[in-house]
Amino acid sequence: MKHYFNPASRAVTTHWMLTELNVEHEQVLIDFQPDGTASDDLRAVNPMGKIPVLTDDGVVVTETAAICAYLADRFPEKGFAPPANSQQRGHYYRCLFFPGTTLEPMFTTKLLGLTDYPASSVGWGDYDRCLSTVESLVPADEWLLGKQFSAADVVLGGALDSAIQYGWIDSPSSRLTGYIGRIRGREAYRKSHGI
Ligand SMILES: N[C@@H](CCC(=O)N[C@@H](CS)C(=O)NCC(=O)O)C(=O)O
């Protein structure tokens, strides 16, 4: 497996997932050009010119959540995903997909200062709806699936960790800071984040 990575990018989350699983892989360091664009080599693998990218014997996986979900399924013995036919999959998928489809575009809208848009038509609604949802998803103790730490914690936990770090959440609740504290205490998180 090859993991296309840069320490100042979303690839930190997939690096963290690989570290949680302790999976052997080649780390390909991507240095963006001075103008911020990707090299032709990276574009050949991912026409988006974006990282993270994971390749596995000719299979190309892009998108942070897809890479984490793929790895969890590829190494089922590590226990990072609930059984494929279980009802737990519903909550697992919800927590995996919510950051990329909803949380991220909402934060982008907020950071761009856009307020005059139809919240009922765009998929991410608005800040208040997203934060209420975060509050309902984040557990008071342990992890998103209870005792089982899963790829969903890496994806949603990673997104919320960055949002708090960059000050995108106005006043994080104690429930949220407690969850992020548990995330930051994990050995693999600390290793992959250079702590
Ligand atoms: N939807 C992608 C976003 C990936 C992304 O935006 N990566 C940024 C770094 S954090 C990147 O590679 N930017 C370089 C560029 O767009 O040229 C994901 O979830 O992984």
Side-chain angles (χ1 to χ4, degrees), residues 106-114 166-168:
M106 178 280 289
F107 281 129
T108 305
T109 308
K110 183 172 188 270
L111 294 172
L112 292 174
L114 301 176
Y166 295 125
W168 298 342

Side-chain angles (χ1 to χ4, degrees), residues 9-11 13 50-52 63-65 96-112 117 123-127 130-131 134 155-156 158-160 162-163 166 168:
S9 78
R10 289 169 175 84
T13 301
K50 285 186 177 285
I51 51 172
E63 311 312 315
T64 304
L96 273 178
F97 294 161
F98 181 67
T101 61
T102 310
L103 210 47
E104 264 205 37
M106 178 280 289
F107 281 129
T108 305
T109 308
K110 183 172 188 270
L111 294 172
L112 292 174
Y117 68 87
W124 58 93
D126 57 30
Y127 178 86
C130 283
L131 264 288
V134 164
V155 175
L156 180 55
L160 294 172
S162 302
Y166 295 125
W168 298 342

